[in-house]
Every structure is written in C-alpha cells, then in structure tokens.
Amino acid sequence: VQLQASGGGLVQAGGSLRLSCAASGRTLDIFGLGWFRQPTDKEREFVAAITRNTGITYYSDSVKGRFAISRDNAKNTMYLYMNSLNSEDTAVYYCAARITTGPINLKNEYEYDYWGQGTQVTVSS
C-alpha cells in the first residue's frame, strides 16, 4: 500500500483546510486509516482515524468538534477537514494505513503498517 498526503499549506488562525490521503496498491486490504501530526521538536500524536468498511471514526480530544475525518472508498482517498485552526495545529500531518484486522487501537501509531510522506500545515496567528 502506498499513501500520498496532500492539501497542507499556510492558513490564518480560525481558517480551514482539507487534507487528502490517496491510497494505492492493496487498498482492499486496508482495515483502518489514520491521521497523525508532529509539531516541530515534539512527538508524533494521534489526530483522527476511520475504519475503511464501517466508517467508524475516532478523534483526539484536541481536535474533536473541529476536525472531521471521512473516506471515499471509490476513490481510495481519505480526507481530514480541519476547521477553527489555531497555532497549536501547526505540524506535519501524516496519514497511515492499517492492514490487519482484529482488536486494535487505531489511536496508536504503532498499530499502523504503512505511512505517507507528510504534509505541512502552518497556522499563522
């Protein structure tokens, strides 16, 4: 599975952005998809995740109510709609895919099998 993240950029505080993550390869084997982010000089952290078939979503507390994750299986693409952005949302955003099914925690980055290259989101105040 190959993942290509896009849509990052510079946005003013309070603004919105939409990130996309296009998957290719063995996409039918994907069980879950997630977004993670890594601010400069900080650890990578979970943002949101979604199961490919059932569309069950998960969010971190810091983005709940502001961000929305979705997927379009026909296009093999996952989206992250980010609203009410603030400076703490500035980070490199990564998308990731989980192949194996079973009881897993999609909020845990170590549960993922494939990663995209990351896209920079910068929120100016």
Side-chain angles (χ1 to χ4, degrees), residues 1-2 4 12 37 43 48 64 98 104 108:
V1 175
Q2 294 79 44
Q4 180 73 38
Q12 288 188 330
R37 67 186 182 187
E43 299 286 321
K64 195 174 297 182
R98 164 80 183 195
I104 61 171
N108 184 345

Side-chain angles (χ1 to χ4, degrees), residues 6 17-22 33-35 48-50 57 59 67-82 95:
S6 61
L17 274 178
R18 186 190 76 168
L19 303 185
S20 300
C21 177
L33 293 158
W35 286 100
I50 188 168
T57 58
Y59 296 95
F67 291 12
I69 189 171
S70 67
R71 86 272 188 254
D72 184 335
N73 290 341
K75 295 182 179 180
N76 292 318
T77 301
M78 171 179 64
Y79 303 99
L80 184 67
Y81 297 86
M82 306 187 293
C95 58

Side-chain angles (χ1 to χ4, degrees), residues 7 11 107:
V11 62
K107 296 182 179 182

Side-chain angles (χ1 to χ4, degrees), residues 20-105:
S20 300
C21 177
S24 59
R26 297 171 55 188
T27 57
L28 293 179
D29 292 338
I30 294 174
F31 171 74
L33 293 158
W35 286 100
F36 291 78
R37 67 186 182 187
Q38 186 167 20
T40 302
D41 298 329
K42 292 186 178 181
E43 299 286 321
R44 187 158 58 186
E45 63 181 14
F46 168 74
V47 176
I50 188 168
T51 56
R52 182 184 181 279
N53 292 336
T54 59
I56 298 172
T57 58
Y58 305 86
Y59 296 95
S60 69
D61 290 341
S62 62
V63 307
K64 195 174 297 182
R66 299 188 299 122
F67 291 12
I69 189 171
S70 67
R71 86 272 188 254
D72 184 335
N73 290 341
K75 295 182 179 180
N76 292 318
T77 301
M78 171 179 64
Y79 303 99
L80 184 67
Y81 297 86
M82 306 187 293
N83 301 305
S84 302
L85 287 162
N86 59 61
S87 59
E88 294 184 351
D89 297 317
T90 295
V92 177
Y93 284 71
Y94 298 90
C95 58
R98 164 80 183 195
I99 299 298
T100 310
T101 59
I104 61 171
N105 178 6

